[in-house]
Amino acid sequence: MTDRTYFEDLAPDQEFDLGAIDVSKDDIIEFASEFDPQSFHMSEEAGKASILGGLAASGWHTASLIMRLLATNLFNKSTGRGSPGVSRLKWKHPVFPGDTLSATAKILEMKDLRSKPQLGMVFIRVRATNQDDVEVIEWDNPVLFERREPAR
């Protein structure tokens, strides 16, 4: 018997606590310098002059941090086999230095796959909030999970 989570172990409305991660000023600037070099992600002064109100993490940085939690605390303990894409992504609030982000994943829907009976499709909603319980990011995406037994 394995301790990995299979398609059959999941159910609609099931929710997973993905843990938390801290965001530092250095991390924000380092990520932005390499992947999203916009001034409000790299300079406190530019951040204050922007609609963000201060140095803020790139939305892609925020998504990457939460993906880290999702992979570490759900996918790497499961038979997850990847995703055909993200169907919806919303950056809802800026992430600032010193924020602590906490994330959850909720099962929205599940489907058998006739073309690949050894897999099932699980539709999840990933959500993260900061230390003040303000939602900072939310996305929905389908994820393929291996089945214990092929669907009939």
Side-chain angles (χ1 to χ4, degrees), residues 66-131:
I66 302 310
M67 187 64 214
R68 168 68 184 261
L69 294 176
L70 182 61
T72 301
N73 297 307
L74 179 59
F75 293 157
N76 293 349
K77 299 176 181 180
S78 76
T79 61
R81 295 293 176 251
S83 172
V86 172
S87 54
R88 185 179 69 84
L89 169 65
K90 289 188 176 188
W91 292 300
K92 296 188 161 197
H93 190 271
V95 172
F96 299 110
D99 281 355
T100 298
L101 306 181
S102 299
T104 59
K106 182 176 182 178
I107 307 297
L108 301 176
E109 181 183 355
M110 298 173 63
K111 288 187 179 180
D112 293 325
L113 297 176
R114 292 183 188 160
S115 63
K116 296 185 184 314
Q118 73 279 14
L119 299 174
M121 186 73 75
V122 178
F123 297 85
I124 65 169
R125 173 162 294 149
V126 178
R127 179 178 180 263
T129 58
N130 67 16
Q131 67 281 352

Coordinates of all heavy atoms in Angstrom, one line a residue, residues 66-131:
I66 N 3.2 30.2 -4.3 CA 2.1 29.4 -4.0 C 2.2 28.0 -4.7 O 1.8 27.0 -4.2 CB 0.7 30.1 -4.3 CG1 0.7 31.4 -3.5 CG2 -0.5 29.2 -4.0 CD1 1.0 31.3 -2.0
M67 N 2.7 28.1 -6.0 CA 2.9 26.8 -6.7 C 3.9 25.9 -5.9 O 3.7 24.7 -5.8 CB 3.4 27.1 -8.1 CG 3.6 25.8 -8.9 SD 2.0 25.1 -9.2 CE 2.4 23.4 -9.2
R68 N 4.9 26.5 -5.3 CA 5.8 25.8 -4.4 C 5.1 25.1 -3.3 O 5.3 23.9 -3.0 CB 6.9 26.8 -3.9 CG 7.8 26.2 -2.8 CD 8.7 25.1 -3.3 NE 9.5 24.5 -2.3 CZ 10.7 24.8 -2.0 NH1 11.4 25.7 -2.7 NH2 11.4 24.1 -1.1
L69 N 4.2 25.8 -2.6 CA 3.4 25.2 -1.6 C 2.5 24.1 -2.1 O 2.4 23.0 -1.5 CB 2.6 26.2 -0.8 CG 3.3 27.3 -0.1 CD1 2.3 28.3 0.5 CD2 4.1 26.7 1.1
L70 N 1.9 24.3 -3.2 CA 1.0 23.3 -3.9 C 1.8 22.0 -4.2 O 1.3 20.9 -4.0 CB 0.3 23.9 -5.1 CG -0.7 23.1 -5.9 CD1 -1.9 22.7 -5.0 CD2 -1.1 23.9 -7.1
A71 N 2.9 22.2 -4.8 CA 3.7 21.0 -5.2 C 4.2 20.3 -4.0 O 4.1 19.1 -3.9 CB 4.9 21.5 -6.1
T72 N 4.8 21.0 -3.0 CA 5.4 20.4 -1.9 C 4.3 19.7 -1.0 O 4.6 18.6 -0.5 CB 6.1 21.5 -1.0 OG1 7.1 22.0 -1.8 CG2 6.7 20.8 0.2
N73 N 3.2 20.3 -0.8 CA 2.2 19.8 0.2 C 1.0 19.1 -0.4 O 0.2 18.6 0.4 CB 1.8 21.0 1.0 CG 2.9 21.5 1.8 OD1 3.6 20.8 2.5 ND2 3.2 22.8 1.7
L74 N 1.0 18.9 -1.7 CA -0.1 18.1 -2.3 C 0.4 17.3 -3.5 O 0.4 16.1 -3.4 CB -1.3 19.0 -2.8 CG -2.5 18.3 -3.4 CD1 -3.1 17.3 -2.5 CD2 -3.5 19.3 -3.9
F75 N 0.9 17.9 -4.6 CA 1.2 17.2 -5.8 C 2.3 16.2 -5.5 O 2.3 15.1 -6.0 CB 1.6 18.1 -6.9 CG 0.4 18.9 -7.4 CD1 0.7 20.1 -8.1 CD2 -0.9 18.5 -7.2 CE1 -0.4 20.9 -8.6 CE2 -2.0 19.3 -7.7 CZ -1.7 20.5 -8.4
N76 N 3.4 16.5 -4.8 CA 4.5 15.6 -4.6 C 4.1 14.5 -3.7 O 4.9 13.5 -3.6 CB 5.7 16.4 -4.1 CG 6.3 17.3 -5.1 OD1 5.9 17.3 -6.3 ND2 7.2 18.2 -4.7
K77 N 3.0 14.5 -3.1 CA 2.5 13.4 -2.2 C 1.4 12.7 -2.9 O 0.6 11.9 -2.2 CB 2.0 14.0 -0.9 CG 3.1 14.7 -0.1 CD 2.5 15.4 1.2 CE 3.6 16.1 1.9 NZ 3.0 16.7 3.1
S78 N 1.2 12.9 -4.2 CA 0.1 12.3 -4.9 C 0.5 11.7 -6.2 O 1.7 11.7 -6.5 CB -0.9 13.4 -5.2 OG -0.5 14.2 -6.3
T79 N -0.5 11.2 -6.9 CA -0.2 10.7 -8.3 C -0.5 11.7 -9.3 O -0.8 11.4 -10.5 CB -1.1 9.4 -8.5 OG1 -2.5 9.8 -8.4 CG2 -0.8 8.3 -7.5
G80 N -0.5 13.0 -8.9 CA -0.7 14.1 -9.9 C 0.3 14.0 -11.1 O 1.4 13.7 -10.9
R81 N -0.3 14.1 -12.3 CA 0.5 13.9 -13.5 C 0.5 15.1 -14.4 O 0.7 15.1 -15.6 CB -0.1 12.7 -14.3 CG 0.0 11.4 -13.6 CD 1.5 11.0 -13.5 NE 1.6 9.8 -12.8 CZ 2.1 9.7 -11.5 NH1 2.5 10.8 -10.9 NH2 2.2 8.6 -10.9
G82 N 0.3 16.3 -13.8 CA 0.4 17.5 -14.6 C -0.9 18.1 -14.9 O -2.0 17.6 -14.5
S83 N -0.9 19.2 -15.6 CA -2.1 20.0 -15.9 C -2.1 20.5 -17.3 O -1.0 20.9 -17.8 CB -2.2 21.2 -14.9 OG -3.3 22.0 -15.3
P84 N -3.3 20.5 -18.0 CA -3.3 21.1 -19.3 C -3.3 22.6 -19.3 O -3.3 23.2 -20.4 CB -4.6 20.5 -19.9 CG -5.5 20.2 -18.7 CD -4.5 19.9 -17.6
G85 N -3.3 23.2 -18.1 CA -3.3 24.7 -18.1 C -4.1 25.3 -16.9 O -4.8 24.6 -16.2
V86 N -4.0 26.6 -16.8 CA -4.8 27.3 -15.8 C -5.9 27.9 -16.5 O -5.8 28.6 -17.5 CB -3.9 28.4 -15.1 CG1 -4.7 29.3 -14.2 CG2 -2.8 27.7 -14.3
S87 N -7.1 27.7 -16.0 CA -8.3 28.2 -16.7 C -8.7 29.6 -16.2 O -9.4 30.4 -16.9 CB -9.5 27.3 -16.5 OG -9.7 27.0 -15.1
R88 N -8.2 30.0 -15.0 CA -8.5 31.3 -14.4 C -7.5 31.7 -13.4 O -7.1 30.9 -12.6 CB -9.9 31.3 -13.8 CG -10.4 32.6 -13.3 CD -11.8 32.5 -12.6 NE -11.7 31.8 -11.4 CZ -11.4 32.3 -10.2 NH1 -11.2 33.6 -10.1 NH2 -11.4 31.6 -9.1
L89 N -7.0 32.9 -13.5 CA -6.0 33.4 -12.5 C -6.3 34.9 -12.2 O -6.5 35.7 -13.1 CB -4.6 33.3 -13.1 CG -3.5 34.0 -12.4 CD1 -3.2 33.4 -11.0 CD2 -2.2 34.0 -13.2
K90 N -6.4 35.2 -10.9 CA -6.6 36.5 -10.4 C -5.6 36.9 -9.4 O -5.5 36.2 -8.4 CB -8.1 36.7 -9.9 CG -9.1 36.6 -10.9 CD -10.5 36.9 -10.3 CE -11.5 36.9 -11.4 NZ -12.8 37.4 -10.9
W91 N -5.0 38.0 -9.6 CA -4.1 38.7 -8.6 C -5.0 39.7 -7.9 O -5.5 40.7 -8.5 CB -2.9 39.3 -9.2 CG -2.0 38.4 -9.8 CD1 -1.3 37.4 -9.1 CD2 -1.5 38.3 -11.1 NE1 -0.5 36.7 -10.0 CE2 -0.6 37.2 -11.2 CE3 -1.8 39.0 -12.3 CZ2 0.1 36.8 -12.4 CZ3 -1.1 38.7 -13.4 CH2 -0.2 37.6 -13.5
K92 N -5.3 39.4 -6.6 CA -6.4 40.2 -6.0 C -5.9 41.3 -5.1 O -6.6 42.3 -4.8 CB -7.3 39.3 -5.2 CG -8.0 38.3 -6.1 CD -9.0 37.5 -5.3 CE -10.0 37.0 -6.3 NZ -11.2 36.5 -5.6
H93 N -4.6 41.2 -4.6 CA -4.1 42.2 -3.7 C -2.6 42.2 -3.8 O -2.0 41.1 -3.9 CB -4.6 42.0 -2.3 CG -4.3 43.1 -1.3 ND1 -3.1 43.1 -0.6 CD2 -5.0 44.1 -0.9 CE1 -3.1 44.2 0.2 NE2 -4.2 44.8 0.0
P94 N -1.9 43.3 -3.7 CA -0.4 43.3 -3.8 C 0.2 42.5 -2.6 O -0.4 42.4 -1.5 CB 0.0 44.7 -3.7 CG -1.2 45.5 -4.0 CD -2.4 44.7 -3.6
V95 N 1.3 41.9 -2.8 CA 2.1 41.2 -1.8 C 3.3 42.1 -1.5 O 4.1 42.4 -2.5 CB 2.5 39.8 -2.3 CG1 3.5 39.1 -1.3 CG2 1.2 38.9 -2.5
F96 N 3.5 42.4 -0.3 CA 4.6 43.3 0.2 C 5.6 42.6 1.0 O 5.4 41.5 1.5 CB 4.0 44.4 1.0 CG 3.0 45.3 0.2 CD1 1.6 45.2 0.5 CD2 3.4 46.1 -0.8 CE1 0.7 46.0 -0.1 CE2 2.5 46.9 -1.5 CZ 1.1 46.8 -1.2
P97 N 6.8 43.1 1.1 CA 7.9 42.6 2.0 C 7.3 42.4 3.4 O 6.6 43.3 3.9 CB 9.0 43.6 1.9 CG 8.8 44.4 0.7 CD 7.3 44.4 0.5
G98 N 7.6 41.2 4.0 CA 7.2 40.9 5.3 C 5.8 40.2 5.4 O 5.4 39.7 6.4
D99 N 5.2 40.1 4.2 CA 3.9 39.3 4.2 C 4.2 37.8 4.4 O 5.2 37.3 4.0 CB 3.2 39.5 2.9 CG 2.4 40.8 2.8 OD1 2.3 41.5 3.8 OD2 1.8 41.1 1.7
T100 N 3.3 37.2 5.0 CA 3.2 35.7 5.1 C 2.0 35.2 4.4 O 0.9 35.6 4.8 CB 3.2 35.2 6.6 OG1 4.4 35.7 7.3 CG2 3.2 33.7 6.7
L101 N 2.2 34.4 3.4 CA 1.1 33.9 2.6 C 0.8 32.5 3.0 O 1.6 31.6 3.2 CB 1.5 33.9 1.1 CG 2.0 35.3 0.5 CD1 2.3 35.1 -0.9 CD2 1.0 36.4 0.8
S102 N -0.5 32.2 3.2 CA -1.1 30.9 3.5 C -2.0 30.5 2.4 O -2.7 31.3 1.8 CB -1.9 31.0 4.8 OG -1.0 31.4 5.9
A103 N -1.9 29.2 2.0 CA -2.6 28.8 0.8 C -3.4 27.5 1.1 O -3.1 26.7 2.0 CB -1.6 28.5 -0.3
T104 N -4.5 27.4 0.3 CA -5.3 26.2 0.3 C -5.6 25.8 -1.1 O -5.6 26.6 -2.0 CB -6.7 26.4 1.0 OG1 -7.4 27.5 0.4 CG2 -6.5 26.8 2.5
A105 N -6.0 24.5 -1.3 CA -6.5 24.0 -2.6 C -7.8 23.3 -2.3 O -7.9 22.5 -1.3 CB -5.5 23.0 -3.2
K106 N -8.8 23.6 -3.1 CA -10.1 23.0 -2.9 C -10.5 22.2 -4.2 O -10.4 22.8 -5.3 CB -11.1 24.1 -2.6 CG -12.5 23.5 -2.3 CD -13.5 24.6 -1.9 CE -14.8 24.0 -1.6 NZ -15.8 25.1 -1.1
I107 N -11.0 21.0 -4.0 CA -11.5 20.3 -5.2 C -12.9 20.8 -5.5 O -13.8 20.9 -4.7 CB -11.7 18.8 -4.8 CG1 -10.4 18.2 -4.2 CG2 -12.1 18.0 -6.0 CD1 -9.2 18.2 -5.1
L108 N -13.0 21.3 -6.8 CA -14.3 21.8 -7.3 C -15.1 20.7 -8.0 O -16.3 20.7 -7.8 CB -14.0 22.9 -8.3 CG -13.2 24.1 -7.7 CD1 -13.0 25.1 -8.9 CD2 -14.0 24.8 -6.6
E109 N -14.5 19.9 -8.7 CA -15.2 18.9 -9.6 C -14.2 17.8 -10.0 O -13.0 18.0 -10.0 CB -15.7 19.7 -10.8 CG -16.5 18.8 -11.8 CD -16.9 19.7 -13.0 OE1 -16.6 20.9 -13.1 OE2 -17.4 19.0 -14.0
M110 N -14.7 16.7 -10.3 CA -13.9 15.5 -10.8 C -14.6 14.9 -12.0 O -15.8 14.8 -12.0 CB -13.7 14.5 -9.6 CG -13.0 15.1 -8.4 SD -13.0 14.0 -7.0 CE -12.0 12.7 -7.7
K111 N -13.7 14.4 -12.9 CA -14.3 13.7 -14.1 C -13.4 12.5 -14.5 O -12.2 12.6 -14.4 CB -14.3 14.7 -15.3 CG -15.3 15.8 -15.2 CD -15.4 16.6 -16.5 CE -16.4 17.6 -16.4 NZ -16.5 18.4 -17.7
D112 N -14.1 11.5 -14.9 CA -13.4 10.3 -15.5 C -13.0 10.8 -16.9 O -13.6 11.6 -17.6 CB -14.4 9.1 -15.6 CG -14.7 8.6 -14.3 OD1 -13.9 8.6 -13.3 OD2 -15.9 8.1 -14.1
L113 N -11.9 10.2 -17.4 CA -11.5 10.5 -18.8 C -11.6 9.2 -19.6 O -10.9 8.2 -19.4 CB -10.0 10.9 -18.7 CG -9.7 12.2 -18.0 CD1 -8.2 12.5 -18.0 CD2 -10.5 13.4 -18.6
R114 N -12.5 9.2 -20.6 CA -12.7 8.1 -21.4 C -11.5 7.8 -22.3 O -11.2 6.6 -22.5 CB -14.0 8.3 -22.3 CG -15.2 8.3 -21.6 CD -16.4 8.5 -22.5 NE -17.6 8.7 -21.6 CZ -18.7 9.2 -22.1 NH1 -18.8 9.6 -23.3 NH2 -19.7 9.3 -21.3
S115 N -10.8 8.8 -22.7 CA -9.7 8.6 -23.6 C -8.4 8.1 -22.8 O -7.5 7.6 -23.4 CB -9.3 9.9 -24.3 OG -8.9 10.9 -23.3
K116 N -8.4 8.3 -21.5 CA -7.3 7.9 -20.7 C -7.9 7.3 -19.4 O -7.8 8.0 -18.3 CB -6.3 9.0 -20.4 CG -5.7 9.6 -21.6 CD -4.7 10.7 -21.2 CE -4.0 11.3 -22.4 NZ -3.5 10.6 -23.4
P117 N -8.4 6.1 -19.4 CA -9.1 5.5 -18.3 C -8.2 5.3 -17.0 O -8.7 5.1 -15.9 CB -9.6 4.2 -18.8 CG -8.8 3.9 -20.0 CD -8.4 5.2 -20.6
Q118 N -6.9 5.4 -17.2 CA -5.9 5.2 -16.1 C -5.8 6.6 -15.3 O -5.1 6.6 -14.3 CB -4.6 4.7 -16.5 CG -3.7 5.7 -17.3 CD -4.1 5.9 -18.8 OE1 -5.1 5.5 -19.3 NE2 -3.2 6.5 -19.5
L119 N -6.4 7.6 -15.9 CA -6.3 9.0 -15.2 C -7.7 9.5 -15.0 O -8.7 9.1 -15.6 CB -5.6 9.9 -16.2 CG -4.1 9.6 -16.5 CD1 -3.6 10.6 -17.5 CD2 -3.2 9.6 -15.3
G120 N -7.8 10.5 -14.1 CA -9.0 11.2 -13.8 C -8.6 12.7 -13.8 O -7.4 13.1 -13.5
M121 N -9.5 13.6 -14.1 CA -9.3 15.0 -14.1 C -9.9 15.6 -12.8 O -11.1 15.3 -12.5 CB -9.9 15.7 -15.3 CG -9.6 17.1 -15.5 SD -7.9 17.4 -16.0 CE -8.0 17.0 -17.7
V122 N -9.2 16.4 -12.1 CA -9.6 17.0 -10.9 C -9.5 18.5 -11.1 O -8.4 19.0 -11.4 CB -8.7 16.6 -9.7 CG1 -9.2 17.3 -8.4 CG2 -8.8 15.0 -9.5
F123 N -10.6 19.2 -10.9 CA -10.6 20.7 -11.1 C -10.4 21.3 -9.7 O -11.2 21.0 -8.8 CB -11.9 21.1 -11.7 CG -12.1 20.6 -13.1 CD1 -12.6 19.3 -13.3 CD2 -11.6 21.3 -14.2 CE1 -12.7 18.8 -14.6 CE2 -11.8 20.8 -15.5 CZ -12.3 19.6 -15.7
I124 N -9.4 22.1 -9.5 CA -9.0 22.6 -8.2 C -9.1 24.1 -8.2 O -8.9 24.8 -9.3 CB -7.7 22.1 -7.7 CG1 -6.5 22.7 -8.6 CG2 -7.6 20.6 -7.6 CD1 -5.2 22.4 -8.0
R125 N -9.3 24.7 -7.1 CA -9.2 26.2 -6.9 C -8.1 26.4 -5.8 O -8.2 25.8 -4.7 CB -10.5 26.8 -6.4 CG -10.3 28.3 -6.0 CD -11.6 29.0 -5.9 NE -12.2 29.0 -7.3 CZ -13.5 29.0 -7.6 NH1 -14.4 29.0 -6.6 NH2 -13.9 29.1 -8.8
V126 N -7.1 27.1 -6.2 CA -6.0 27.5 -5.3 C -6.2 28.9 -4.8 O -6.5 29.8 -5.6 CB -4.6 27.3 -6.0 CG1 -3.5 27.7 -5.1 CG2 -4.5 25.9 -6.5
R127 N -6.0 29.1 -3.5 CA -6.3 30.4 -3.0 C -5.2 30.7 -1.9 O -4.9 29.8 -1.2 CB -7.7 30.4 -2.3 CG -8.1 31.7 -1.7 CD -9.5 31.5 -1.1 NE -10.0 32.7 -0.5 CZ -9.9 33.0 0.8 NH1 -9.4 32.1 1.7 NH2 -10.3 34.1 1.3
A128 N -4.8 31.9 -1.9 CA -3.8 32.4 -0.9 C -4.2 33.7 -0.3 O -4.7 34.6 -1.0 CB -2.4 32.4 -1.5
T129 N -3.9 33.8 1.0 CA -4.2 35.0 1.8 C -2.9 35.5 2.5 O -2.0 34.7 2.7 CB -5.3 34.8 2.8 OG1 -4.9 33.8 3.7 CG2 -6.6 34.5 2.2
N130 N -2.9 36.7 2.8 CA -1.8 37.2 3.6 C -2.1 37.1 5.1 O -3.1 36.5 5.5 CB -1.4 38.7 3.2 CG -2.4 39.7 3.6 OD1 -3.4 39.4 4.4 ND2 -2.4 40.9 3.0
Q131 N -1.2 37.6 5.9 CA -1.3 37.4 7.4 C -2.6 38.1 7.9 O -3.0 37.8 9.1 CB -0.1 37.9 8.1 CG 0.2 39.4 8.0 CD 0.8 39.8 6.6 OE1 1.2 38.9 5.8 NE2 0.9 41.1 6.4

